Amino acid sequence: MGRVQDKIAIVTGGATGIGRATARRLAEEGALVTITDRNVEAGQAVAAELPGNAAFIAQDVRLEDDWKALMAAVTERHGRLDILVNNAGILATGPSQDLEATDLEQWRAVQAVNAEGVFLGCHHGIGAMKAGGGSIINLSSIAGLIGTPHLAAYGASKGAVRQLSKSVAVYCGRKGYGIRCNSVHPGIIRTDMGDQVMGLGGGDPQANWESRIGLVPLGEAGEAVDVANCILFLASDEARHVTGAELVVDGGMTAI
Ligand SMILES: NC(=O)c1ccc[n+]([C@@H]2O[C@H](COP(=O)([O-])OP(=O)(O)OC[C@H]3O[C@@H](n4cnc5c(N)ncnc54)[C@H](O)[C@@H]3O)[C@@H](O)[C@H]2O)c1
C-alpha cells in the first residue's frame, strides 16, 4: 500500500526538474498521475517512464481554456481529483531581472506563469475537488519569503503564491470542502532552473554554484527529489491536519 495509493494527481510542469521528481514519487507511492507541461516531447517521455498508468496532457498554465480542458479530461477519466501540484514556473524572461532592468513586459510575463497560473490552478482545482476533498500544493520559493533585488518579478510572483495558498486553505477549510492547501519553498535546487539562477548576472556558473552553496548551512544544494518528498508528504493523508502552512526546503538558508 503506497502513501498516496489510488489517489488521482495532477503535476503541472512535470516534464523536468522538481515536477518530474514529484510525479515519480507520487506514482511510486501508488497515485495515478497526470503530468502537464508546455514541453510536449519531454512530458510524454516522463509519463512513459513512470510506474503506474501515468498520462501526459499538453498545457500552458497561463491559459484558462487549457485548465478547463485538463480538469474535464482528468475527471472524465478518473471521476475525481485528489492532488494538484501547481509546480510549473519560470524564473525570468531576460538575462537580468534586477529592479532597474525589469520592464513591464518582463514583469507581466513572470506573473502570468507563476502567479496567474497558480491562481487558475487553484480556482479550477477547487471545482474539481470540492465534492470529495483533496490536497493542493503550490510551488513558491525562498524568494517568496525574503527580498530578491536581482529577481524582482520572480520574488513578487512567489510571494503571491505564498499568500494565495493561505487564502485557499482558509476558504476551503471554512467551506467544509475537505481541501487542504500548502505552499512549498525550495532554496537552491539542482534543476534547469537552478542552473539558470547561477547563470544570471554573469560570472562562471560553476563558481556561482559554489559560492551560493556556501550560504547553505547543510553545505550542499538540494536535489529535486528532496522537494518531491516534501510535496509527497503534503499530498498524503499523513498531512491531514496541515493546511495554510509553508514548508521550507532550503538546507537552512533562511534560518540564518
Ligand atoms: N530549482 C530551484 O532552485 C527552485 C527554487 C525555488 C523554487 N522553485 C520552483 O519550483 C518549481 C519547479 O522548478 P524547477 O527548478 O523544476 O524548474 P524547471 O525549469 O526545471 O521546470 C519547470 C517546468 O515548468 C514548465 N513550464 C514553464 N512554463 C510553463 C507554462 N506556461 N505552462 C506549462 N508548463 C510550463 C517547463 O516547461 C518546465 O518543464 C517552479 O515553480 C520554481 O519556481 C525552484
Side-chain angles (χ1 to χ4, degrees):
M1 185 81 172
R3 291 168 67 193
V4 285
Q5 193 65 44
D6 299 330
K7 289 189 185 287
I8 309 304
I10 293 173
V11 180
T12 71
T16 56
I18 292 168
R20 178 173 58 195
T22 299
R24 171 167 293 283
R25 289 297 293 123
L26 290 171
E28 286 170 349
E29 293 292 341
L32 297 163
V33 181
T34 299
I35 292 168
T36 82
D37 208 287
R38 63 181 178 184
N39 184 341
V40 175
E41 201 178 323
Q44 285 172 335
V46 172
E49 73 186 24
L50 287 185
N53 198 9
F56 172 78
I57 294 179
Q59 182 200 24
D60 185 330
V61 296
R62 297 172 297 183
L63 304 180
E64 186 154 30
D65 284 349
D66 280 14
W67 278 106
K68 288 179 183 167
L70 172 66
M71 292 302 166
V74 170
T75 52
E76 190 177 312
R77 183 172 179 211
H78 298 289
R80 63 179 202 280
L81 175 65
D82 303 311
I83 297 165
L84 171 62
V85 184
N86 283 308
N87 166 78
I90 60 169
L91 187 68
T93 56
S96 169
Q97 285 232 326
D98 73 27
L99 273 163
E100 291 182 282
T102 302
D103 63 25
L104 186 57
E105 194 182 340
Q106 289 173 320
W107 171 274
R108 285 179 174 160
V110 173
Q111 310 313 317
V113 180
N114 295 3
E116 291 178 19
V118 174
F119 160 71
L120 288 170
C122 292
H123 180 77
H124 290 284
I126 290 168
M129 280 180 179
K130 68 182 179 183
S135 175
I136 299 174
I137 299 108
N138 295 330
L139 268 291
S140 178
S141 166
I142 60 169
L145 303 174
I146 56 176
T148 54
H150 295 287
L151 278 172
Y154 181 80
S157 73
K158 294 302 185 179
V161 169
R162 170 186 177 271
Q163 210 282 346
L164 174 67
S165 302
K166 293 183 192 302
S167 294
V168 172
V170 174
Y171 179 82
C172 291
R174 290 194 172 143
K175 284 278 187 180
Y177 289 163
I179 300 173
R180 297 180 294 102
C181 181
N182 295 285
S183 56
V184 172
H185 301 257
I188 299 173
I189 311 296
R190 287 195 190 277
T191 65
D192 293 350
M193 187 182 286
D195 284 336
Q196 206 187 339
V197 173
M198 300 311 159
L200 282 177
D204 172 38
Q206 188 52 40
N208 289 343
W209 268 110
E210 281 160 24
S211 74
R212 293 295 293 277
I213 287 169
L215 303 173
V216 182
L218 284 183
E220 60 182 20
E223 301 295 336
V225 70
D226 297 323
V227 184
N229 281 327
C230 294
I231 296 170
L232 169 64
F233 164 68
L234 292 171
S236 77
D237 294 339
E238 296 160 19
R240 58 179 288 277
H241 201 54
V242 183
T243 196
E246 306 164 18
L247 184 37
V248 179
V249 195
D250 71 347
M253 251 181 115
T254 51
I256 303 168

